[in-house]
Amino acid sequence: MIDIYTLGIESSCDETAAAVIKNGREVLSNIVNTQIQIHTEYGGVVPEIASRNHIKNISDVVNEAIRQANISFEDIDVVTPTYGPGLVGALLVGLSYGKALSYALNKPLVGVNHIEGHIAANYITYPELKPPFICVMMSGGNTQIVHVKDYTDFVVLGKTRDDAIGEAFDKIARVIGLGYPGGPKVDKLAKDGEPNIKIPKTHFENLDFSFSGIKTFIINYNHNHNNVNKADLCKSFESTAATILIENTLKAVKMTNLKTVVLAGGVSANSYIRNEFLKLENNDIKVYMPDIKLCTDNAAMIGAAGYYNYINGKTSDLHLNAAPNLKLS
């Protein structure tokens, strides 16, 4: 087998990242320059500021990824930047850099769907993992249940009709004064709380989700009650969200007769949600979840996804443009 080295480039939001991946599974380097400290001042990501910092950092991040991988640019077989979904200005920085590098090195270009990248993070964590399986995608911009038929073949079984679960985490954190980023802070505070606040859930006949009602309920509850126990509120939200995710997952397992469930996306780093999903193994369902450092945005997952697109003949040309609303197909 001839080794294939992919250079992953990720800039869809506020992380400037580059990684070198060998044969889709082995991480030779994974560099992430985060802007969290910059955007904390504003309570969330400011797109224009994110784009400017990507421009400032992209060259240094890619060079460091090559250096740490102990290879040269000429050793790279394929350049794999994220081209969507995400913030259009931020996407354009990484994509433009990747296209220029592909042209200069005369190497193939493979544009990567960011959602595919989150799924592929599990291939790095678990070298033995292979499709087919059910993936529960939970991030700041997406909440989906996906039937992963093969490495590049996806069927979306259910998706959010409004807010993504990660967006709900961030909004709740902001309302109760925890600040940005909301997910880790809600998770931490919830450890001291009890799920004693009854939060209404939205139910659909299919596998779709809705988190806007839950978000609104918590905002109103916090506004209308004096001396709210914030830890209990966070724990109650986590409990409700986990229940909704697992109910739909079990429907998907029954629908597809697949007994393998894979978590993906930034919210899959939540400790409570991870523990609740692990309980499914009592029902003979095998559960996989990415290493914590691979849950949030990074370029290793992009390089892994790019590898599988490349070996399946899915390459891009230099006319590829950023697609901020790109869907998983």
Side-chain angles (χ1 to χ4, degrees):
M1 176 182 175
I2 299 175
D3 292 329
I4 296 176
Y5 296 90
T6 56
L7 173 64
I9 299 173
E10 159 61 22
S11 67
S12 64
C13 191
D14 61 338
E15 316 283 8
T16 314
V20 177
I21 306 299
K22 179 180 176 182
N23 299 328
R25 303 267 179 164
E26 184 181 348
V27 179
L28 300 185
S29 64
N30 187 23
I31 309 302
V32 180
N33 183 296
T34 182
Q35 300 178 27
I36 287 178
Q37 196 167 13
I38 296 171
H39 296 283
T40 296
E41 179 181 350
Y42 305 98
V45 178
V46 180
E48 177 64 21
I49 293 175
S51 301
R52 291 183 181 185
N53 278 278
H54 285 313
I55 293 170
K56 177 183 176 182
N57 296 321
I58 186 72
S59 290
D60 289 342
V61 168
V62 171
N63 287 332
E64 183 62 14
I66 294 294
R67 188 191 71 78
Q68 286 197 17
N70 197 28
I71 62 172
S72 69
F73 277 101
E74 288 70 25
D75 294 321
I76 294 296
D77 293 292
V78 56
V79 182
T80 64
T82 301
Y83 76 105
L87 303 173
V88 65
L91 286 165
L92 281 168
V93 177
L95 176 59
S96 298
Y97 192 94
K99 287 162 66 174
L101 205 56
S102 168
Y103 179 80
L105 297 174
N106 194 27
K107 303 288 185 178
L109 177 75
V110 174
V112 176
N113 185 315
H114 183 80
I115 304 171
E116 287 187 39
H118 277 301
I119 296 171
N122 287 279
Y123 300 140
I124 296 171
T125 306
Y126 306 98
E128 76 280 7
L129 177 64
K130 298 177 181 179
F133 53 77
I134 296 297
C135 178
V136 188
M137 168 62 58
M138 50 183 101
S139 68
N142 294 277
T143 309
Q144 300 176 340
I145 293 187
V146 183
H147 179 186
V148 181
K149 291 187 170 184
D150 206 343
Y151 290 106
T152 61
D153 187 2
F154 310 94
V155 176
V156 177
L157 303 178
K159 61 184 183 299
T160 183
R161 296 191 180 185
D162 40 59
D163 300 332
I165 187 171
E167 182 182 346
F169 265 98
D170 283 339
K171 181 66 174 181
I172 289 163
R174 194 153 56 242
V175 166
I176 64 176
L178 297 183
Y180 174 84
K185 295 183 178 182
V186 170
D187 190 9
K188 182 179 180 180
L189 184 57
K191 288 177 169 48
D192 297 324
E194 296 294 332
N196 53 18
I197 300 170
K198 186 172 178 56
I199 300 174
K201 297 182 293 183
T202 303
H203 293 279
F204 299 109
E205 291 300 317
N206 59 13
L207 301 186
D208 284 354
F209 300 96
S210 172
F211 291 99
S212 66
I214 295 173
K215 185 177 74 174
T216 301
F217 172 87
I218 291 178
I219 292 170
N220 290 336
Y221 188 95
N222 183 72
H223 179 73
N224 295 325
H225 291 74
N226 294 324
N227 300 317
V228 173
N229 187 312
K230 295 179 181 180
D232 288 349
L233 194 58
C234 290
K235 189 72 166 193
S236 299
F237 168 67
E238 281 188 343
S239 176
T240 303
T243 298
I244 293 170
L245 291 169
I246 289 171
E247 284 177 352
N248 278 11
T249 300
L250 290 174
K251 289 179 186 177
V253 167
K254 185 176 181 180
M255 179 188 299
T256 61
N257 201 31
L258 291 171
K259 292 281 194 173
T260 303
V261 171
V262 171
L263 307 189
V267 179
S268 66
N270 179 274
S271 60
Y272 181 84
I273 289 175
R274 289 170 81 94
N275 288 331
E276 290 300 298
F277 266 94
L278 284 174
K279 293 177 183 178
L280 293 180
E281 297 198 331
N282 296 327
N283 298 326
D284 296 322
I285 297 172
K286 181 62 178 174
V287 177
Y288 294 89
M289 53 191 71
D291 187 290
I292 293 292
K293 66 178 179 291
L294 295 176
C295 290
T296 52
D297 292 351
N298 64 89
M301 68 183 195
I302 301 302
Y307 166 83
Y308 287 106
N309 278 279
Y310 176 66
I311 65 172
N312 281 282
K314 296 188 175 185
T315 59
S316 309
D317 61 34
L318 295 178
H319 296 289
L320 181 67
N321 201 1
N325 299 311
L326 184 66
K327 307 298 182 186
L328 188 67
S329 60

